[in-house]
Amino acid sequence: GEKSMREAVSLFQRGAIYARRGETERSREFFQRAAAALPGFPEAHLGLGHIALREKHYTEALEHYLQARDGFRNLGDKLYDLRVERYRDAREEVDRLRDVMTELDNPRLKILNRDMEKIRLEGEIRKLELVRLPTPGEGLEPPGEVFFYIGNAQFHLGMLNEAVGAWEECAKKAPDFPLVHNNLAIGYLKLGRVDAAQLSVDRAEKLGVAVH
């Protein structure tokens, strides 16, 4: 009900703050509590999936991402306000990280590995830019980014066909999401689909991602 949703959102938001600070154990604790407060709460499972993926626990990551996908479908329009709020938070964080990147250009700042730090920040910004503003009425459909993460976990588990299928679903739902075209290029190449790989490379580069 409404009370469970409010509790889950509050716990998730605290977990997200710890995640931004790099405090993995604290963020995991709050994401787990959010998932317990509202079974199937997708944001909590996305957070837990990201932690598992970073720790190379790929089977666990995939389970959480699939639970997130199902949670978006099952909880439907109740999540609309949360997704709007998440979009706003993501935009604010992108603005903050861009300010940090501008600061890095200050030669008076003593910073080790300035270039590496810029690459890390660019990666964080790209991830945040995946978060799309939802439209009313799309509540029963998981956002495209969920399928991107499902595909990533499947790819690490050697499930290449399934990963490509998930990335294709992401590209269909969010065609301007650049990272998925990068991953599709790799997936198609591994499947021997060279023409499709080239199309994905072209699409990624048009969207500003250099494909290696």
Side-chain angles (χ1 to χ4, degrees), residues 146-156 159 162-164 166-167:
V146 176
F147 295 93
F148 173 72
Y149 295 125
I150 288 171
N152 290 355
Q154 289 170 328
F155 182 80
H156 284 295
M159 302 163 66
E162 292 89 341
V164 167
W167 291 332

Side-chain angles (χ1 to χ4, degrees), residues 55-86:
E55 293 176 343
K56 299 189 162 99
H57 300 152
Y58 301 124
T59 301
E60 184 188 336
L62 179 57
E63 285 169 4
H64 282 300
Y65 290 144
L66 291 173
Q67 282 177 282
R69 178 200 64 190
D70 294 344
F72 278 113
R73 286 177 176 151
N74 296 335
L75 293 169
D77 287 326
K78 290 180 193 166
L79 294 165
Y80 174 72
D81 290 342
L82 174 64
R83 285 165 69 178
V84 170
E85 195 173 318
R86 186 165 171 247

Side-chain angles (χ1 to χ4, degrees), residues 4-211:
S4 300
M5 175 70 83
R6 275 203 305 272
E7 185 185 355
V9 169
S10 174
L11 290 164
F12 166 75
Q13 286 171 336
R14 288 178 71 186
I17 290 166
Y18 285 117
R20 281 199 290 273
R21 290 180 190 160
E23 297 182 41
T24 301
E25 287 312 311
R26 292 291 278 156
S27 64
R28 190 200 319 266
E29 176 197 335
F30 279 98
F31 291 154
Q32 285 172 338
R33 286 171 62 188
L38 183 67
F41 182 50
E43 301 290 347
H45 285 292
L46 279 177
L48 289 166
H50 296 339
I51 292 171
L53 199 72
R54 277 200 306 275
E55 293 176 343
K56 299 189 162 99
H57 300 152
Y58 301 124
T59 301
E60 184 188 336
L62 179 57
E63 285 169 4
H64 282 300
Y65 290 144
L66 291 173
Q67 282 177 282
R69 178 200 64 190
D70 294 344
F72 278 113
R73 286 177 176 151
N74 296 335
L75 293 169
D77 287 326
K78 290 180 193 166
L79 294 165
Y80 174 72
D81 290 342
L82 174 64
R83 285 165 69 178
V84 170
E85 195 173 318
R86 186 165 171 247
Y87 171 79
R88 287 184 187 137
D89 288 347
R91 299 315 304 169
E92 282 176 18
E93 185 66 2
V94 165
D95 291 341
R96 188 189 72 79
L97 292 176
R98 289 211 168 112
D99 288 342
V100 173
M101 284 187 72
T102 304
E103 283 291 306
L104 287 177
D105 289 330
N106 183 344
R108 285 175 296 187
L109 275 182
K110 298 267 190 293
I111 298 166
L112 286 172
N113 296 324
R114 194 182 300 260
D115 290 341
M116 288 299 293
E117 182 61 9
K118 277 191 171 180
I119 289 167
R120 186 189 72 77
L121 289 170
E122 282 166 1
E124 288 296 314
I125 287 168
R126 278 204 292 268
K127 202 186 293 181
L128 287 161
E129 284 176 338
L130 305 180
V131 180
R132 196 170 51 82
L133 182 64
T135 55
E138 69 174 346
L140 292 175
E141 270 306 301
E145 70 195 84
V146 176
F147 295 93
F148 173 72
Y149 295 125
I150 288 171
N152 290 355
Q154 289 170 328
F155 182 80
H156 284 295
L157 288 166
M159 302 163 66
L160 184 57
N161 285 302
E162 292 89 341
V164 167
W167 291 332
E168 286 174 338
E169 184 69 16
C170 172
K172 189 167 75 180
K173 288 174 176 293
D176 293 333
F177 169 28
L179 297 182
V180 76
H181 299 288
N182 175 73
N183 289 21
L184 275 171
I186 294 163
Y188 287 143
L189 206 56
K190 283 181 174 286
L191 291 172
R193 296 170 61 186
V194 179
D195 291 346
Q198 186 58 57
L199 286 172
S200 291
V201 167
D202 295 345
R203 183 80 180 125
E205 288 178 343
K206 270 182 194 154
L207 292 166
V209 173
V211 180

